[in-house]
């Protein structure tokens, strides 16, 4: 019978990495590469910026690894590094507030409804394009939140970070973290209740009818899909389990729509890691084998 090797804990990989075990360091990078990328991408909605952020965070994690004091889980520590880096990232305008809900709602209202033309020939199936439109639109809604409330929503509602850890990441009190999360959910879900046909069937907006307009406007590229694909995992597969209080139960249907978004594979950082590990500074830190 085939014997499966136990999956090493993060802390064990950190210990071995600091002893010069390159394989353990690479495992840490692989383990957190996609998580950082997905958090970054949901914040900026730009693949190049998200990849740039991911590389920057991983470099910080590697170079500061010796400073991990195990006063929290390694995952929480990585989140802290990522949150600080993303909120201070200045290359992308999307990290800053880019839309208001009013502006985004007007954009949706002005996008003409159209039955998807059967005669049109796209490289992707129409159902795949509808899903791409849905996730593109919902991700655009996130950009209507200011950057701090957007980050709190992603951490607390999608990635399941609790208020204690979340408050440390955002450098606020747990009470303020809960208040920020409540406000982000209220603003986002009120907009969806008012505009989105997925949660309120009285609303006329339907993903299928907006797909042609999204393609024409360049929001969806049939030749380069970002979200759609049956092979992709969903965010719910990596989200932490949470205990919902009674007053949060009504929000669960909204949350499920976002948890069903694709969990994207992060860019390959291992090539850049080769160059990084060749530096004298890194070799001094890790005494790599």
């Amino acid at each position: 019978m085939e014997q499966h090797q136990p999956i090493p804990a993060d802390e064990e990989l950190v210990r071995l990495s600091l002893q010069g075990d390159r394989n353990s360091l690479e495992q840490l990078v692989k383990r957190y590469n996609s998580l950082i990328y997905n958090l970054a991408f949901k914040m900026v909605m730009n693949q190049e910026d998200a990849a740039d952020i991911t590389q920057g965070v991983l470099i910080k994690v590697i170079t500061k690894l010796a400073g991990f004091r195990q006063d929290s889980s390694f995952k929480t520590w990585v989140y802290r590094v990522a949150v600080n880096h993303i909120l201070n990232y200045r290359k992308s305008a999307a990290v800053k507030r880019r839309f208001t809900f009013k502006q985004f709602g007007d954009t949706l209202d002005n996008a003409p409804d159209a039955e998807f033309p059967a005669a049109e020939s796209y490289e992707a199936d129409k159902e795949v394009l509808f899903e791409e439109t849905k996730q593109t639109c919902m991700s655009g809604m996130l950009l209507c939140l200011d950057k701090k409330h957007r980050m709190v929503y992603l951490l607390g509602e999608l990635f399941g970070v609790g208020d204690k850890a979340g408050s440390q990441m955002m450098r606020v009190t747990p009470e303020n973290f809960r208040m920020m999360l409540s406000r982000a959910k209220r603003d986002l879900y009120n907009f969806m209740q008012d505009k989105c046909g997925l949660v309120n069937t009285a609303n006329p907006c339907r993903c299928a009818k907006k797909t042609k307009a999204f393609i024409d406007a360049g929001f969806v590229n049939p030749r380069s899909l970002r979200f759609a694909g049956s092979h992709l995992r969903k965010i719910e597969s990596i989200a932490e389990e949470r205990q919902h209080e009674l007053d949060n139960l009504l929000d669960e249907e909204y949350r499920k729509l976002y948890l069903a978004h694709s969990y994207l594979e992060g860019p390959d950082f291992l090539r850049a890691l080769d160059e990084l590990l060749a530096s004298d500074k890194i070799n001094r830190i890790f005494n790599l084998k």
Side-chain angles (χ1 to χ4, degrees):
M1 186 174 181
E2 184 179 353
Q3 296 292 321
H4 294 282
Q5 292 293 328
I7 299 174
D10 289 343
E11 289 70 19
E12 176 67 7
L13 292 177
V14 171
R15 184 184 68 81
L16 293 172
S17 296
L18 292 172
Q19 291 178 357
D21 186 349
R22 177 179 176 137
N23 181 61
S24 294
L25 188 59
E26 290 185 352
Q27 284 190 64
L28 280 176
V29 168
K30 289 179 180 179
R31 187 169 291 182
Y32 285 98
N33 186 36
S34 292
L35 186 148
I36 297 167
Y37 180 76
N38 278 270
L39 181 62
F41 185 75
K42 283 296 185 185
M43 279 294 294
V44 302
M45 271 292 288
N46 179 284
Q47 292 169 306
E48 291 183 2
D49 284 335
D52 186 41
I53 289 170
T54 302
Q55 179 165 317
V57 171
L58 287 172
I59 288 173
K60 286 184 177 180
V61 167
I62 291 168
T63 56
K64 296 181 179 181
L65 199 59
F68 172 55
R69 301 303 179 192
Q70 301 195 28
D71 55 348
S72 64
S73 71
F74 181 72
K75 185 176 185 179
T76 296
W77 184 75
V78 171
Y79 267 127
R80 288 179 192 165
V81 176
V83 167
N84 184 65
H85 186 87
I86 293 170
L87 291 179
N88 287 289
Y89 187 74
R90 292 289 179 258
K91 292 183 181 179
S92 173
V95 179
K96 305 172 185 177
R97 188 172 184 138
R98 192 169 68 178
F99 299 116
T100 65
F101 282 109
K102 173 67 166 57
Q103 290 169 331
F104 193 74
D106 289 344
T107 298
L108 288 177
D109 291 342
N110 293 329
D113 289 346
E115 295 297 331
F116 201 74
E120 292 277 4
S121 176
Y122 294 110
E123 295 180 15
D125 181 80
K126 68 176 183 178
E127 295 298 331
V128 173
L129 291 174
F130 297 163
E131 178 66 22
E132 184 80 5
T133 297
K134 180 182 79 173
Q135 293 197 37
T136 298
C137 184
M138 291 179 65
S139 296
M141 295 176 195
L142 289 176
L143 295 181
C144 298
L145 297 169
D146 67 65
K147 65 179 182 179
K148 289 188 176 180
H149 283 85
R150 194 185 319 156
M151 179 64 80
V152 166
Y153 177 82
L154 293 174
L155 292 173
E157 191 75 342
L158 297 193
F159 291 89
V161 173
D163 56 1
K164 182 179 179 181
S167 67
Q168 295 172 353
M169 296 170 194
M170 296 298 298
R171 299 180 181 177
V172 297
T173 65
E175 181 183 9
N176 281 341
F177 184 86
R178 292 193 298 271
M179 290 175 62
M180 292 175 70
L181 178 56
S182 178
R183 178 181 173 182
K185 289 162 59 178
R186 181 197 67 201
D187 291 349
L188 182 62
Y189 297 163
N190 281 349
F191 176 81
M192 294 178 72
Q193 179 66 25
D194 185 56
K195 289 289 183 184
C196 182
L198 293 171
V199 296
N200 183 354
T201 56
N203 294 324
C205 192
R206 295 291 185 274
C207 303
K209 290 187 176 182
K210 297 296 185 184
T211 296
K212 184 67 165 60
F214 271 49
I215 292 174
D216 292 343
F219 299 147
V220 168
N221 183 351
R223 293 178 296 278
S224 181
L225 301 178
R226 293 177 292 184
F227 304 114
S230 59
H231 65 287
L232 294 174
R233 287 194 292 163
K234 304 300 182 184
I235 290 177
E236 63 188 352
S237 70
I238 58 92
E240 301 288 346
E241 288 296 324
R242 298 191 309 151
Q243 293 294 323
H244 292 282
E245 298 178 1
L246 183 61
D247 61 353
N248 287 331
L249 293 180
L250 293 177
D251 293 340
E252 189 62 12
E253 293 305 311
Y254 299 92
R255 179 175 182 250
K256 285 179 180 178
L257 286 171
Y258 276 100
L259 287 176
H261 280 205
S262 300
Y263 184 70
L264 308 174
E265 288 298 319
D268 183 6
F269 181 68
L270 292 182
R271 292 184 181 178
L273 183 63
D274 289 338
E275 297 179 7
L276 182 64
L277 296 182
S279 71
D280 292 338
K281 177 181 178 181
I282 298 300
N283 275 281
R284 285 196 301 270
I285 293 174
F286 294 104
N287 188 27
L288 288 169
K289 298 174 183 177

